[in-house]
Amino acid sequence: NQRGTPAVPAAPAAPYGSHPAITPEFINAIKRVENSTGNPMAVSPKGATGPMQVMPATFAQMSQQYFGGKLNPQSPADQEQAGVAFLHHLANVELPRRGIPVTPENLASAYQQGAGGLAKNGVSGNVTDGITNNSAYVAKVLAGMGGAPGAPAAPGAPAPPGAAPAQPTAGL
């Protein structure tokens, strides 16, 4: 800079890379479906925790692989970082490794199943189903991205009259 004003440094690259299918809207839709209560300390019946309902083994893997083991499983912010890292891991490693197109449908389906479920179940021939056994989950995520009718409410928003309170899903 000629005037002596320091240049603004570029934002550091995320340790797990990036992918155009993973937008803030997509991440927020995953969070709303995974943790509809909005409780950042929520724990599912299967043990998934935090804003994105990350399973402990997935959290440990993402923390070690992308953050040198420095993420704290008791921190909602670190839980969210692990969830976002897992989305990028799926988009950049797991889906391409299996020859699966990286689409919001396939990403949401893979996130819900986890890498183990993805390896076991693969994908169906019909992209509307995405990966087997979770088409309703995928539909909720996609609806949540656009605020379409039937989309999960934002955390803290009142439930429609007569609706039962939503529970966190089983997670990763």
Side-chain angles (χ1 to χ4, degrees), residues 8-154:
V8 176
Y16 42 74
S18 65
H19 196 281
I22 303 171
T23 64
E25 295 80 14
F26 182 77
I27 293 167
N28 287 329
I30 291 280
K31 286 169 48 177
R32 284 190 298 272
V33 173
E34 286 289 338
N35 187 350
S36 61
T37 66
N39 176 359
M41 300 304 289
V43 179
S44 78
K46 291 193 175 188
T49 60
M52 295 182 75
Q53 292 293 283
V54 178
M55 290 296 284
T58 301
F59 178 89
Q61 178 190 355
M62 296 300 103
S63 179
Q64 188 60 45
Q65 188 166 344
Y66 297 111
F67 300 96
K70 295 180 180 178
L71 296 183
N72 175 358
Q74 302 305 313
S75 163
D78 286 2
Q79 281 284 345
E80 187 167 336
Q81 279 193 334
V84 172
F86 186 56
L87 283 170
H88 285 279
H89 180 78
L90 290 167
N92 294 319
V93 178
E94 297 295 336
L95 292 176
R97 172 189 312 176
R98 292 169 173 80
I100 299 170
V102 180
T103 64
E105 295 89 348
N106 289 342
L107 256 176
S109 185
Y111 187 88
Q112 197 254 349
Q113 289 192 91
L118 179 63
K120 178 181 174 187
N121 298 319
V123 294
S124 74
N126 183 349
V127 85
T128 60
D129 288 350
I131 299 168
T132 59
N133 301 323
N134 60 4
S135 59
Y137 175 90
V138 172
K140 287 179 185 178
V141 170
L142 296 178
M145 288 175 63

